[in-house]
Amino acid sequence: QVQLVESGGGLVQPGGSLRLSCAASGDGFTIEFMGWFRQAPGNQRDFVATMTTGGTTNYADSVKGRFTISRDNGKNTVYLQMNSLKPEDTAVYYCNVRGQYTTWARRYNSWGRGTQVTVSS
């Protein structure tokens, strides 16, 4: 089992910033893919930003120029820096990490429990 714990969510005013963190823990695993998704009330869970092991990033059109995904390999942690936040960014943000176990031929696809981001004046 690879466990993910998100943190950094909260209430922020429009135009403000937040940084989300997602720490992965477990025994004997490597990370191949990291991503952030979000789900607003009444909506499906949508892609926000992703990063591969090689450093290739991809962003949803709605967040390009405002959000930045990054990582700290030594800490097995992925971040989402969110700037110029808008009310429509309000959602539960979920971390997703994929990879493989080092001691057995098996891959994993883990999701965090989510962290609430509310953008409101």
Side-chain angles (χ1 to χ4, degrees), residues 40-113:
N43 297 116
Q44 64 182 14
R45 188 173 299 184
D46 294 325
F47 147 78
V48 176
T50 61
M51 174 178 284
T52 66
T53 301
T56 301
T57 59
N58 196 14
Y59 296 92
D61 289 340
S62 59
V63 306
K64 285 182 178 178
R66 299 189 297 119
F67 291 10
T68 303
I69 186 171
S70 61
R71 66 188 179 190
D72 185 332
N73 292 334
K75 297 180 179 179
N76 285 332
T77 300
V78 60
Y79 304 95
L80 184 68
Q81 179 66 46
M82 304 184 293
N83 298 325
S84 301
L85 283 162
K86 305 175 181 179
E88 49 264 46
D89 294 319
T90 296
V92 177
Y93 284 70
Y94 297 90
C95 179
N96 177 227
V97 176
R98 309 172 192 176
Q100 62 183 354
Y101 296 106
T102 57
T103 57
W104 50 342
R106 190 169 182 263
R107 301 189 73 256
Y108 68 88
N109 182 358
S110 297
W111 290 86
R113 296 186 182 276

Side-chain angles (χ1 to χ4, degrees), residues 10-18 66 82-90 117-121:
L11 175 65
V12 65
Q13 294 184 339
S17 298
L18 285 174
R66 299 189 297 119
M82 304 184 293
N83 298 325
S84 301
L85 283 162
K86 305 175 181 179
E88 49 264 46
D89 294 319
T90 296
V117 172
T118 302
V119 184
S120 176
S121 59

